[in-house]
Amino acid sequence: MIGAALTGFATAFSLILAIGAQNAFVLRQGLTRSHVFALCLLCAASDAVLIVAGVLGFGAITEKYPQLPQMMAWGGAAFLIVYGTMRLWAAYKGAYAMQIAGKSAGLWATLGTAAALTWLNPHVYLDTLGLIGAISVQFTTASLKMAFAIGAVTSSFVFFFGLGYGARLLAPVMQSARAWQVLDVLIALVMWVLAFKLIS
């Protein structure tokens, strides 16, 4: 049981660790200290739903509907391009008084953006429904599969809450408009690179 749980934890953590659109957004919100709990909960809960679905074997959906990943890729890429452009525009304007004061968009706007970055990203489905689902096949009993899933879900909660609340350690560095401009330019580049990878 413990071995299965640790395998699930390590597998999910290694997949989430790569800097992506979702992680960059959580980091940015963590720096403003705005809606951090709700945001981290949304991201981790979304991962939990997908991880459980993957372990239960719903990865077969993409085999039944082979055109689905491509449709999701184009939708996700379009969103990433738009969001990256918004971050670059924000960097160009350089108006960061709200961010420096620790304020951001409203709760529902924040959660809406996070939901889009999560559910419109085909890689999330490949990682959870595909890879995690495939790795879970080695555990043949229901109890071992459950332990694996619990470990994977736990790693998601640890990662997102660690990133969201750990970001405040960088807060002293982010007390100037220039620092926020650099961060937004980097986030824009990450979004565009991810969008290019999705459609290439």
Side-chain angles (χ1 to χ4, degrees), residues 106-173:
L107 174 62
W108 293 112
T110 298
L111 294 182
T113 301
L117 289 171
T118 302
W119 293 94
L120 289 178
N121 181 3
H123 288 300
V124 170
Y125 297 91
L126 293 174
D127 289 347
T128 54
L129 296 179
L131 292 174
I132 291 179
I135 292 171
S136 72
V137 172
Q138 64 183 292
F139 303 106
T140 53
T141 66
S143 59
L144 288 176
K145 281 185 178 293
M146 182 181 295
F148 176 85
I150 290 172
V153 168
T154 300
S155 77
S156 183
F157 275 84
V158 169
F159 178 83
F160 283 115
F161 279 92
L163 179 63
Y165 285 100
R168 66 182 56 190
L169 297 175
L170 294 174
V173 181

Side-chain angles (χ1 to χ4, degrees), residues 69-124:
Q70 188 62 36
M71 291 168 58
M72 289 167 47
W74 281 101
F79 181 82
L80 291 173
I81 290 170
V82 170
Y83 186 74
T85 303
M86 289 170 59
R87 294 277 50 89
L88 196 65
W89 179 248
Y92 173 75
K93 290 197 301 181
Y96 289 102
M98 283 181 59
Q99 285 80 3
I100 294 172
K103 299 177 182 178
S104 75
L107 174 62
W108 293 112
T110 298
L111 294 182
T113 301
L117 289 171
T118 302
W119 293 94
L120 289 178
N121 181 3
H123 288 300
V124 170

